[in-house]
Amino acid sequence: MTTEMLLKRVEQIMIEVVNSDVEVLRDASRHILLAGGKRIRPRLLLLSYQVAGGQAVETAIPAAAAMELVHTASVVHDDINDHGVVRRGRPSVNAIWGRTFALLTGDYLFTKVYELMAPYGELNVVLAEATVALVEGETLQASAVKNNAFTREAYYQIIARKTAALFKASTTLGARLAGADDHIVDALAEFGFKIGLAFQIVDDVLDLTADTACLLYTSPSPRDS
């Protein structure tokens, strides 16, 4: 099964898991998920599983879906904090349903992660640590902006937590699910972390330097992925 086929299955699982009798939660969740994105985090998880020697990649698909739901929940909350009205080329959840329902939709997506990760036992710790780091990073960023203390050191602390930690968790989970030796797990974890740092730095540089004409001919911003 190709990576693209596996990612289509990830998409299916995400759409299925956010089904709810509460229409606003279902509709808002599907709205942001169907907007697309590069799905880099689940891609990293699945590729890490394969490169680490895993032989039943289908077993890693729910974890890959959970990883993307964490990211998606975080961008829904980001748009509340930043008053964002566009996400992935569509009106944001915040713009359509308002701040209260956007907050609840983000919370709903986060809770659905627990459902997907339940079968993975102790590996939940890997994702829990990454989500703690994500919230810490977002908090540090808000604090740095509020206090006019956005130094280079603060910037690296922020992106290490809010972006690189989730990339690291993706590659770590892939390797752990494959049953890889510790040195392989550690190598892939370091790879994911450094890719996450580079990814966020490039995104932030583009935010500062890219003009509208350039953006028309490039792929969506990594933050929208």
Side-chain angles (χ1 to χ4, degrees):
M1 190 178 293
T2 67
T3 301
E4 296 309 315
M5 292 171 65
L6 292 169
L7 288 171
K8 286 182 180 179
R9 181 60 185 138
V10 168
E11 299 289 339
Q12 291 171 353
I13 288 176
M14 290 194 296
I15 293 299
E16 290 167 3
V17 80
V18 299
N19 191 32
S20 174
D21 293 334
V22 180
E23 291 184 4
V24 65
L25 291 175
R26 180 194 63 218
D27 293 347
S29 296
R30 289 182 175 177
H31 172 81
I32 184 65
L33 290 172
L34 292 172
K38 296 184 182 70
R39 308 307 196 215
I40 292 178
R41 295 154 190 84
R43 190 183 296 269
L44 279 172
L45 190 153
L46 294 168
L47 290 174
S48 296
Y49 179 91
Q50 292 171 309
V51 78
Q55 298 299 312
V57 69
E58 294 84 1
T59 63
I61 292 174
M67 192 63 62
E68 186 64 18
L69 283 185
V70 168
H71 172 62
T72 304
S74 74
V75 299
V76 171
H77 283 170
D78 271 353
D79 287 337
I80 300 170
N81 293 332
D82 302 338
H83 307 285
V85 296
V86 177
R87 174 65 65 174
R88 298 171 177 170
R90 286 184 167 191
S92 67
V93 173
N94 183 51
I96 297 174
W97 284 276
R99 292 168 60 87
T100 296
F101 287 122
L103 175 62
L104 292 168
T105 298
D107 292 345
Y108 181 65
L109 291 169
F110 270 123
T111 58
K112 283 296 179 176
V113 172
Y114 291 105
E115 184 176 326
L116 289 172
M117 288 298 295
Y120 295 105
E122 65 180 16
L123 291 184
N124 278 275
V125 174
V126 175
L127 189 52
E129 291 174 347
T131 53
V132 168
L134 170 63
V135 176
E136 290 174 340
E138 294 287 1
T139 305
L140 287 174
Q141 178 172 297
S143 178
V145 171
K146 180 179 180 181
N147 298 317
N148 195 25
F150 219 106
T151 63
R152 178 178 297 184
E153 180 180 353
Y155 173 73
Y156 280 112
Q157 284 288 324
I158 290 164
I159 67 171
R161 286 178 165 89
K162 81 168 198 174
T163 302
L166 206 57
F167 277 62
K168 178 181 177 180
S170 299
T171 52
T172 300
L173 281 174
R176 292 279 299 275
L177 286 167
D181 293 338
D182 287 346
H183 72 281
I184 294 176
V185 173
D186 292 343
L188 282 168
E190 184 70 10
F191 170 77
F193 183 76
K194 289 182 176 178
I195 287 291
L197 289 177
F199 191 85
Q200 188 63 57
I201 290 169
V202 168
D203 182 37
D204 292 337
V205 170
L206 288 175
D207 281 346
L208 293 171
T209 63
D211 58 31
T212 303
C214 174
L215 290 173
L216 289 174
Y217 296 99
T218 56
S219 58
S221 164
R223 281 190 68 189
D224 297 339
S225 301

